[in-house]
Amino acid sequence: MSNRRTTVEQWLTQQDGLDNLRRSSAPMPSPGKDEVLVAIHSVSLNYRDTEVAMGLYKYYDQPGDDPSKPLVPASDMCGVVIAVGEGPHTIPWKVGDRVLSTFVQAHLTGQITPAHLATGLGKPLPGVLQTHRVFPTYGLVRAPGHLSDHEASCLPIAAVTAWMAVRGAHPTLKGKTVLLQGTGGVSISGLQIAKASGARVILTSSSDEKLARAKGMGPFAPDFVINYRTTPQWQDEVMRLTDGRGVDVVVETGGAQTLYKALDCIAFGGVVACIGYTSGREDEGSRPNINLLVLRRTVTLKGILNGPRDQFEEMCAFYEEHGIKPVVDRVFGFGEADEAFKYLFSGQHFGKVVIKVAE
Ligand SMILES: NC(=O)c1ccc[n+]([C@@H]2O[C@H](COP(=O)([O-])OP(=O)(O)OC[C@H]3O[C@@H](n4cnc5c(N)ncnc54)[C@H](OP(=O)(O)O)[C@@H]3O)[C@@H](O)[C@H]2O)c1
């Protein structure tokens, strides 16, 4: 401990613009119970970090939060454990272990909750754009041995998000087609994960150079690329490339300018994973983009077009088993069928409106 520095160098934002990030220093912290001190080697940035710094990331703000309070930004780091606090330890890290931060520190399994979100790094909790930071032992994972520190630091947000979107979409991706938008962190992680999972990939970008670079990614190269600037109706091209079938998965990172097009080139039964809004956060009419509304509470919107015969039979058995009877609100005579229509349209009914056709 004697040679150890006594201060931490860090960057701060007061969420007042990218021009106003500033350097600062703070006393070196000591790890407490079930905590470790990490020397941070590499930090990767995410779109979110820019939003935080510009004061645009307010989705989970609480009354009384003060955005002008200096905050260390960023959430994704690779570093090395240099001191271990008192036990018992949830995870038994040792000095020298190479570790990655998890974005939402308390989200250990299952569905994310507001309580978990209160433990997000780089807002609301102090982030990782600093030389050292204390973490709870459960807020770290082991860095994969085959990756450099820089490479490994890219995993916590971009790759994990892409993993959830791509691998969570279908039980198997073999023979499926995945559409990725742009060549940012999430999309390129999604490309690697989808290709490694046996999927075909269509990748879009504003830049032919970036698309050419993606084409050079060997086994992770996309099968097809589209420049969305020179082909603004890229959804038509996606339909053409998939023989009119559409793609099975869209990793929807684009938002306002992409979601509606994605819905025009998704296959029947496909999955649109609503992730981001790099093309805009407001839909027409200044409404918040649907991606934003959906991802904010991690909800699933699913289109339903009736159901198959086997489900119908299953349902009938369920009705029988539970003695369920449909609720008939009103029965109209055959001659008053038009009245029945008006009645239904008026919305006065409860349950079903029926027309008695035969005496
Ligand atoms: N829900 C989550 O958990 C989660 C996690 C991570 C990220 N996100 C969100 O996902 C989005 C992407 O994040 P990121 O970190 O990957 O961002 P990023 O690395 O900054 O990616 C930016 C890329 O977006 C692409 N883009 C811009 N306008 C586009 C358009 N009209 N159509 C298609 N692509 C367009 C551009 O690709 P080209 O230059 O190739 O055109 C640009 O390089 C952001 O909105 C972010 O907030 C959400």
Side-chain angles (χ1 to χ4, degrees):
M1 289 290 277
S2 53
N3 289 339
R4 177 123 19 98
R5 297 161 49 159
T6 55
T7 55
V8 176
E9 296 303 313
Q10 54 190 204
W11 278 93
L12 296 173
T13 177
Q14 289 175 276
Q15 302 183 52
D16 53 354
L18 296 177
D19 291 337
N20 297 323
L21 285 159
R22 64 182 166 84
R23 295 282 302 269
S24 186
S25 56
M28 180 68 66
S30 300
K33 206 169 184 173
D34 200 22
E35 292 180 336
V36 293
L37 177 63
V38 173
I40 295 175
H41 289 186
S42 300
V43 169
S44 83
L45 289 183
N46 291 286
Y47 190 83
R48 170 183 189 269
D49 304 323
T50 64
E51 290 185 278
V52 169
M54 293 187 289
L56 298 173
Y57 195 91
K58 299 179 182 164
Y59 314 119
Y60 309 106
D61 281 3
Q62 298 295 318
D65 282 358
D66 177 7
S68 69
K69 201 171 147 207
L71 171 77
V72 178
S75 56
D76 295 9
M77 73 94 210
C78 177
V80 168
V81 173
I82 57 170
V84 176
E86 226 181 281
H89 300 118
T90 310
I91 310 284
W93 297 114
K94 296 188 306 297
V95 169
D97 282 341
R98 203 168 68 116
V99 289
L100 307 179
S101 49
T102 60
F103 165 37
V104 180
Q105 297 265 282
H107 185 204
L108 305 184
T109 185
Q111 173 60 50
I112 200 164
T113 65
H116 293 144
L117 283 163
T119 66
L121 297 183
K123 191 176 179 178
L125 295 187
V128 299
L129 199 51
Q130 52 184 333
T131 54
H132 300 78
R133 192 187 187 286
V134 164
F135 293 87
T137 62
Y138 56 78
L140 301 165
V141 299
R142 189 173 299 283
H146 71 294
L147 299 180
S148 69
D149 292 347
H150 292 343
E151 289 166 340
S153 78
C154 298
L155 299 183
I157 283 195
V160 172
T161 305
W163 172 261
M164 296 300 287
V166 172
R167 298 285 299 215
H170 285 283
T172 172
L173 289 164
K174 285 205 171 57
K176 298 275 193 285
T177 307
V178 177
L179 172 69
L180 297 154
Q181 303 171 340
T183 53
V186 174
S187 291
I188 295 301
S189 306
L191 170 62
Q192 294 167 309
I193 292 166
K195 287 305 297 177
S197 306
R200 289 196 319 164
V201 170
I202 303 175
L203 178 72
T204 71
S205 175
S206 58
S207 151
D208 286 340
E209 288 71 35
K210 289 183 176 182
L211 290 175
R213 184 166 173 188
K215 285 296 261 180
M217 286 174 65
F220 306 114
D223 299 85
F224 304 104
V225 297
I226 307 173
N227 184 320
Y228 64 80
R229 282 265 155 75
T230 53
T231 308
Q233 301 307 317
W234 48 262
Q235 71 278 24
D236 297 339
E237 180 62 5
V238 170
M239 290 304 280
R240 194 187 67 76
L241 291 170
T242 54
D243 299 323
R245 189 179 166 274
V247 295
D248 302 287
V249 184
V250 178
V251 179
E252 238 300 331
T253 47
Q257 288 171 42
T258 56
L259 177 60
Y260 290 92
K261 293 180 179 179
L263 292 169
D264 276 340
C265 63
I266 187 83
F268 275 56
V271 175
V272 177
C274 295
I275 291 179
Y277 37 83
T278 53
S279 72
R281 63 179 63 223
E282 286 184 350
D283 288 343
E284 254 174 55
S286 305
R287 287 167 186 264
N289 171 243
I290 292 171
N291 279 0
L292 208 158
L293 298 177
V294 171
L295 75 91
R296 193 178 52 163
R297 294 191 183 169
T298 62
V299 297
T300 306
L301 304 182
K302 180 161 172 37
I304 303 286
L305 241 184
N306 195 235
R309 183 176 185 281
D310 57 356
Q311 286 296 314
F312 195 176
E313 286 183 327
E314 204 173 300
M315 187 201 79
C316 290
F318 184 83
Y319 264 52
E320 250 178 50
E321 185 189 342
H322 294 276
I324 302 172
K325 294 179 180 170
V327 175
V328 177
D329 173 85
R330 193 165 155 189
V331 180
F332 286 80
F334 191 62
E336 5 168 69
D338 52 346
E339 293 302 317
F341 279 71
K342 283 182 204 152
Y343 178 69
L344 186 79
F345 186 68
S346 75
Q348 297 170 60
H349 60 290
F350 175 89
K352 299 297 295 173
V353 176
V354 172
I355 298 168
K356 186 178 181 197
V357 177
E359 286 308 322

